[in-house]
Amino acid sequence: QVQLVESGGGLVQAGGSLRLSCAASGRTFSTYALGWFRQAPGKQREFVARINWSGSVALYADPVKGRFTISRDNAKRTVYLQMNSLKPEDTAVYYCAADVNPTGIYDVWGQGTQVTVSS
């Protein structure tokens, strides 16, 4: 069974950068796609980015295009989210998720890591 553990969140000033990591255990890491989502207080969870099993295809939500980069290191069983030019509206709990089966549905989720961007 796949387990995901996020890290790297914290407090940063607007315009700053953070890199989130998500380490996976269990099933062979290189066989499934991964995504990042976020949930701000009082809002629904929203899609941020997705990367396919090999790392060759990445998709981004419009609000983060050009600022965030998703990548993965299959040897380290880790997916990353590099966040640059952070804005206060990026403040949220960020979750890593895996499309393990794959069905296009994220069926394994991490516990989340808090990102706070101050103005």
Side-chain angles (χ1 to χ4, degrees), residues 6-25:
E6 301 98 332
S7 61
L11 174 64
V12 64
Q13 288 189 331
S17 298
L18 279 176
R19 188 176 81 157
L20 305 183
S21 300
C22 174
S25 61

Side-chain angles (χ1 to χ4, degrees), residues 15-95:
S17 298
L18 279 176
R19 188 176 81 157
L20 305 183
S21 300
C22 174
S25 61
R27 178 174 168 173
T28 305
F29 183 74
S30 60
T31 62
Y32 51 86
L34 290 143
W36 285 96
F37 291 76
R38 66 186 182 186
Q39 187 167 19
K43 295 187 177 181
Q44 289 189 331
R45 188 176 297 184
E46 64 176 3
F47 168 77
V48 174
R50 174 182 172 97
I51 192 165
N52 72 333
W53 66 273
S54 67
S56 61
V57 179
L59 300 173
Y60 297 93
D62 286 344
V64 307
K65 280 182 181 177
R67 300 189 297 122
F68 291 10
T69 302
I70 187 171
S71 62
R72 65 189 294 163
D73 185 332
N74 285 347
K76 295 183 178 179
R77 304 176 62 87
T78 302
V79 62
Y80 304 97
L81 186 68
Q82 178 67 44
M83 305 185 295
N84 299 328
S85 302
L86 283 162
K87 305 175 181 179
E89 51 263 44
D90 294 318
T91 295
V93 177
Y94 282 72
Y95 298 90

